[in-house]
């Protein structure tokens, strides 16, 4: 069990801690907490500079913003993963695209599935490396109509991390998902019978910080994420490379 680093003085002790000393200890503790908080903010700010796009994707995935399916874990309690009997079934269509620079075949193994809100469903995509070299690919994704994105949740998905295929290798990639039952309480989602889940695979490259990212223009990546209608800030390396504006 953790103990306090400043033992309390017994009540029957002859010498008691003075009020001044108590205030000094309190201020010292506050200063330590402030220093830790400030350091954390600085580290976070630096991280944001070097990881703006990944963090934005994480935000979209956690909130369902701009048609990005929810991948957070807060919805995955067993009590919520129960089909709602009597609810209208929703047809989920699967789409697959790839960048021209990626010599892979990439197709869904099924055209669609129908699910009830709260019902988990397993689907598969097939990917094959048609080249004679090992290649790493990264998949982006979005769902339409975008208003259903906050309720479209992924439990497991090949898009959660990069995929390396050996030369000539063919693999089946699983996807486990469900549509949260809260969709039934959203007036904006009434009447939705069809949903399209789209994936786009890009060849991977390493950026200036050594992180893997899609080897494509920001415009193409944003389009694959369903963000083409949203203005994005320039990358940090682009901002830093721009010459200062003359006054």
């Amino acid at each position: 069990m953790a103990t306090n680093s400043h033992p309390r003085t017994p009540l029957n002790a002859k010498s008691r801690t003075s009020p001044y000393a108590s205030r000094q200890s309190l201020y010292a503790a506050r200063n330590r907490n402030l220093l830790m908080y400030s350091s954390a903010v600085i580290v976070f700010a630096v991280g944001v500079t070097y990881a703006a796009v990944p963090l934005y994707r994480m935000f979209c995935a956690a909130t369902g913003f701009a048609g990005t399916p929810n991948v957070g874990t807060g919805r995955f309690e067993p009590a919520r993963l129960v089909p709602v009997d009597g609810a209208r079934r929703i047809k989920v269509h699967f789409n697959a695209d790839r960048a021209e620079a990626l010599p892979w075949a990439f197709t869904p193994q099924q055209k669609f599935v129908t699910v009830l809100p709260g019902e988990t469903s397993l689907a598969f995509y097939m990917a094959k490396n048609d080249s004679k070299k090992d290649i790493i690919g990264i998949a982006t994704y979005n769902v339409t109509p975008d208003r259903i994105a906050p309720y479209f949740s992924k439990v497991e998905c090949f898009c959660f991390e990069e995929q390396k295929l050996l030369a000539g290798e063919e693999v089946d990639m699983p996807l486990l998902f469900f549509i949260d039952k809260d969709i039934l309480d959203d007036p904006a989602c009434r009447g939705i019978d069809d949903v399209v889940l789209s994936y786009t695979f890009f060849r991977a490259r390493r950026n200036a910080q050594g992180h893997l990212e899609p080897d494509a223009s920001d415009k193409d990546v944003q389009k694959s994420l369903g963000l083409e209608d949203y203005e994005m800030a320039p990358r940090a390396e682009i901002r830093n490379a721009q010459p200062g504006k003359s006054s």
Side-chain angles (χ1 to χ4, degrees), residues 6-83:
H6 300 284
R8 297 176 58 185
T9 304
L11 294 177
N12 59 354
K14 292 184 180 180
S15 60
R16 299 176 182 270
T17 303
S18 67
Y20 176 78
S22 299
R23 286 197 300 271
Q24 289 294 97
S25 299
L26 177 61
Y27 293 150
R30 287 180 177 176
N31 289 337
R32 285 195 300 270
N33 292 337
L34 179 59
L35 178 60
M36 293 174 62
Y37 176 78
S38 301
S39 300
V41 169
I42 293 172
V43 171
F44 177 77
V46 172
V48 168
T49 301
Y50 288 100
V53 173
L55 285 175
Y56 187 77
R57 290 182 62 185
M58 290 170 60
F59 164 75
C60 292
T63 63
F65 179 70
T68 304
N70 192 306
V71 296
T73 58
R75 296 179 182 269
F76 301 161
E77 294 137 6
R80 300 188 66 82
L81 303 182
V82 177

Side-chain angles (χ1 to χ4, degrees), residues 196-215:
V196 179
L197 178 62
S198 298
Y199 287 93
T200 302
F201 249 112
F202 295 91
R203 192 170 193 144
R205 68 183 176 196
R206 293 196 179 275
N207 59 21
Q209 289 74 45
H211 304 303
L212 287 174
E213 66 178 12
D215 188 7

Side-chain angles (χ1 to χ4, degrees), residues 103 129-135 166-168:
N129 183 356
D130 291 327
S131 75
K132 297 182 179 180
K133 296 181 179 180
D134 301 346
I135 297 178
L166 304 179

Side-chain angles (χ1 to χ4, degrees), residues 97-107 126-138 163 165-170 201-204 215:
D97 294 301
R98 64 172 181 84
E100 293 183 3
L102 182 66
W104 287 9
F106 178 53
T107 58
M126 184 280 295
K128 181 181 179 181
N129 183 356
D130 291 327
S131 75
K132 297 182 179 180
K133 296 181 179 180
D134 301 346
I135 297 178
I136 298 176
I138 295 178
Q163 301 293 329
L165 296 189
L166 304 179
E169 182 180 11
E170 178 177 332
F201 249 112
F202 295 91
R203 192 170 193 144
D215 188 7

Side-chain angles (χ1 to χ4, degrees), residues 107-238:
T107 58
Q109 296 288 62
Q110 61 290 300
K111 292 183 178 180
F112 64 86
V113 297
T114 60
V115 296
L116 290 170
E119 178 184 10
T120 56
S121 182
L122 180 64
F124 287 90
Y125 279 74
M126 184 280 295
K128 181 181 179 181
N129 183 356
D130 291 327
S131 75
K132 297 182 179 180
K133 296 181 179 180
D134 301 346
I135 297 178
I136 298 176
I138 295 178
T140 60
Y141 49 85
N142 70 83
V143 63
T144 55
D146 57 6
R147 61 184 181 276
I148 201 176
Y151 309 106
F152 197 105
S153 299
K154 297 180 180 181
V155 182
E156 293 292 341
C157 181
F158 57 88
C159 59
F160 289 169
E161 57 186 16
E162 65 274 5
Q163 301 293 329
K164 180 178 181 179
L165 296 189
L166 304 179
E169 182 180 11
E170 178 177 332
V171 296
D172 288 328
M173 298 181 173
L175 161 68
L176 182 62
F177 71 93
F178 68 97
I179 297 177
D180 194 272
K181 60 182 67 178
D182 285 350
I183 190 176
L184 299 174
D185 300 324
D186 189 344
C189 293
R190 290 175 185 168
I192 292 181
D193 296 317
D194 293 89
V195 174
V196 179
L197 178 62
S198 298
Y199 287 93
T200 302
F201 249 112
F202 295 91
R203 192 170 193 144
R205 68 183 176 196
R206 293 196 179 275
N207 59 21
Q209 289 74 45
H211 304 303
L212 287 174
E213 66 178 12
D215 188 7
S217 67
D218 289 346
K219 181 179 179 180
D220 289 339
V221 174
Q222 291 172 23
K223 183 178 180 180
S224 72
L225 291 167
L227 304 175
E228 66 269 26
D229 295 330
Y230 300 88
E231 184 176 356
M232 305 286 287
R235 294 170 177 262
E237 54 265 32
I238 296 178

